[in-house]
Amino acid sequence: MICFTYPGQGSQKAGMGSAWVDHPSWELVAEASEAAGRDVGRLLLDADDDELRHTRNSQLATFTASMIALDAITRVGIETAGHAGHSLGEYSALVAAGVVDFVDGVRLVTERGEAMQVAAEEQDGTMAAVMGLDDDLVEQACVQADGDVWVANFNAPGQVVIAGSPPMVEAAGAIAKELGAKRVMPLPVGGAFHTPFMSSARDRLAKAVDKTEFRIPDHPVYANVDASAHTGAHAWADLLSLQLTSPVRWRQSVHNMCDAGYTTFVELGPGAVLTGTVKRTAKECQPLKVSAPAEIDAVLEALAGPPVAAAGPLEGEALFATERLVVSPAAGVFQPTDDDLVSAAVPAGKLLGQVGDTEVRTPWGGVIMGFLAVAGERVTASQPIAWLRTS
């Protein structure tokens, strides 16, 4: 089975939206900007690393980048059987699963970023990654430090993040080294996230969460707080509030997903942090990523390759590497061309019809295998219109 995963804060980088500007999925940026009341396109294209390091900027930019990648990969017909996001990525997962609509997701992420930024400015905090030490011993180091320091992220075997006041993080790091840690690396963040230092942010975010409508997900969503699959809507208000002051149990989530039968993890968004954690946590699983349009074909090819064939078709996979979906570029009434194109070989750019005044053209050359919309049908933007085989 395929699981889509979504990265959190720290995966962002300057110019991470540049590869997407000419892709149809870039249209989401205008919607995000309107919902947030900010120029999200500027964050994705022009903001430097220092500006993106600010929580209020990195969270909104990373969330939008993940939504662009999700939209792009669904346009070619790849579907998932589950969702999981790391910290901020949990909001991406909820939008992707239909628990929260896109506009509410933007508003929640914007409020979360602002709330966490203010909380970090109110109370000096930092984070550090402890490498090469068992989880229990990292927790022991925090206890022995006897101060404001806690485990914030269980990322992968031998990779745990601690957070708290700078002196206590330094003290716990020193103890961790005495207990056998190979390395303790300070992280370039401006707060102690996923600890009690974020209590004020949790209280502020709770007001926005209370105004949000939560729906039943299309597929299970694994929560950071308990590493469990959730198939209902009612628990998410509490889970999102708890998440700010609780550790992210990502390693446990990956283990639970593997136990549930997920074999392929596709990271959608900037960077490859989650791809790396899957490699360390579940060596028998296939980690893939989409952070730019050029990586979509590689994912399609990997899904159709020998590992997939040997195990049988993956649940959640709609198309193989040689097949593509042509989707509507706009909302309106679809009218096909007069030509009978089914089974016909067509070049890239071939006109298939119109949605209102907007032309529908295939981005690929190949054989038209069938139409998924009929003449006179009202379609939405990104709704599949036809599918073709490219070889």
Side-chain angles (χ1 to χ4, degrees):
M1 294 195 298
I2 298 172
C3 182
F4 286 170
T5 66
Y6 310 87
Q9 184 175 347
S11 293
Q12 73 280 350
K13 65 177 182 178
M16 60 186 172
S18 59
W20 293 104
V21 171
D22 296 325
H23 193 280
S25 297
W26 184 255
E27 66 187 10
L28 289 176
V29 175
E31 296 179 43
S33 297
E34 183 177 356
R38 300 187 59 190
D39 187 349
V40 179
R42 193 193 68 79
L43 289 177
L44 292 171
L45 298 175
D46 301 325
D48 61 21
D49 287 329
D50 287 338
E51 184 177 2
L52 287 175
R53 200 169 285 123
H54 291 285
T55 300
R56 59 170 58 95
N57 298 330
S58 62
Q59 295 200 15
L60 180 58
T62 300
F63 167 83
T64 306
S66 286
M67 292 296 96
I68 293 170
L70 171 70
D71 185 75
I73 203 167
T74 55
R75 285 172 184 260
V76 299
I78 299 176
E79 298 177 353
T80 185
H83 305 269
H86 187 285
S87 188
L88 161 72
E90 190 159 271
Y91 290 75
S92 305
L94 291 176
V95 173
V99 177
V100 176
D101 70 33
F102 179 72
V103 170
D104 281 343
V106 173
R107 291 172 179 165
L108 283 174
V109 167
T110 301
E111 184 66 7
R112 183 181 190 264
E114 293 288 345
M116 292 175 69
Q117 182 83 47
V118 171
E121 291 169 354
E122 290 174 346
Q123 193 160 20
D124 189 25
T126 191
M127 306 177 80
V130 180
M131 312 297 289
L133 193 63
D134 289 343
D135 296 354
D136 291 345
L137 292 177
V138 178
E139 291 182 294
Q140 181 181 324
C142 291
V143 171
Q144 287 183 223
D146 195 21
D148 290 335
V149 60
W150 304 269
V151 171
N153 303 157
F154 297 97
N155 286 337
Q159 185 180 332
V160 179
V161 174
I162 60 175
S165 69
M168 287 298 99
V169 169
E170 183 178 356
I175 295 170
K177 287 183 178 179
E178 293 175 1
L179 294 174
K182 294 180 179 178
R183 198 161 39 141
V184 177
M185 299 185 300
L187 300 179
V189 296
F193 306 131
H194 299 290
T195 75
F197 277 21
M198 290 290 113
S199 294
S200 63
R202 182 187 62 194
D203 295 341
R204 175 175 169 176
L205 180 64
K207 297 176 182 178
V209 169
D210 288 343
K211 298 176 183 177
T212 302
E213 179 184 358
F214 294 93
R215 307 176 184 87
I216 295 173
D218 59 5
H219 294 98
V221 182
Y222 283 76
N224 290 177
V225 171
D226 59 11
S228 297
H230 291 264
T231 57
H234 70 279
W236 284 107
D238 289 337
L239 288 169
L240 291 180
S241 294
L242 287 169
Q243 189 220 60
L244 282 181
T245 54
S246 304
V248 174
R249 301 185 182 278
W250 183 254
R251 178 183 61 79
Q252 296 90 333
S253 295
V254 173
H255 280 308
N256 288 342
M257 286 185 278
C258 290
D259 290 344
Y262 293 95
T263 56
T264 300
F265 294 80
V266 184
E267 181 177 3
L268 302 177
V273 171
L274 302 186
T275 302
T277 63
V278 170
K279 288 179 180 178
R280 292 174 62 94
T281 306
K283 293 180 172 59
E284 71 281 8
C285 291
Q286 183 180 36
L288 305 168
K289 69 182 182 74
V290 175
S291 59
E295 294 173 330
I296 295 175
D297 280 345
V299 170
L300 285 162
E301 290 168 7
L303 293 178
V308 174
L314 292 176
E315 181 181 342
E317 181 186 349
L319 299 177
F320 292 98
T322 60
E323 299 174 337
R324 299 289 189 272
L325 283 179
V326 180
V327 301
S328 173
V333 176
F334 173 64
Q335 293 293 344
T337 60
D338 293 335
D339 299 329
D340 182 7
L341 294 176
V342 176
S343 299
V346 298
K350 172 68 176 178
L351 179 67
L352 303 185
Q354 291 192 209
V355 174
D357 295 329
T358 304
E359 294 181 341
V360 180
R361 294 181 180 273
T362 172
W364 310 279
V367 176
I368 299 292
M369 305 304 295
F371 279 87
L372 304 175
V374 298
E377 178 180 351
R378 181 168 292 278
V379 298
T380 60
S382 301
Q383 182 174 329
I385 295 293
W387 66 286
L388 75 160
R389 183 163 290 148
T390 58
S391 64

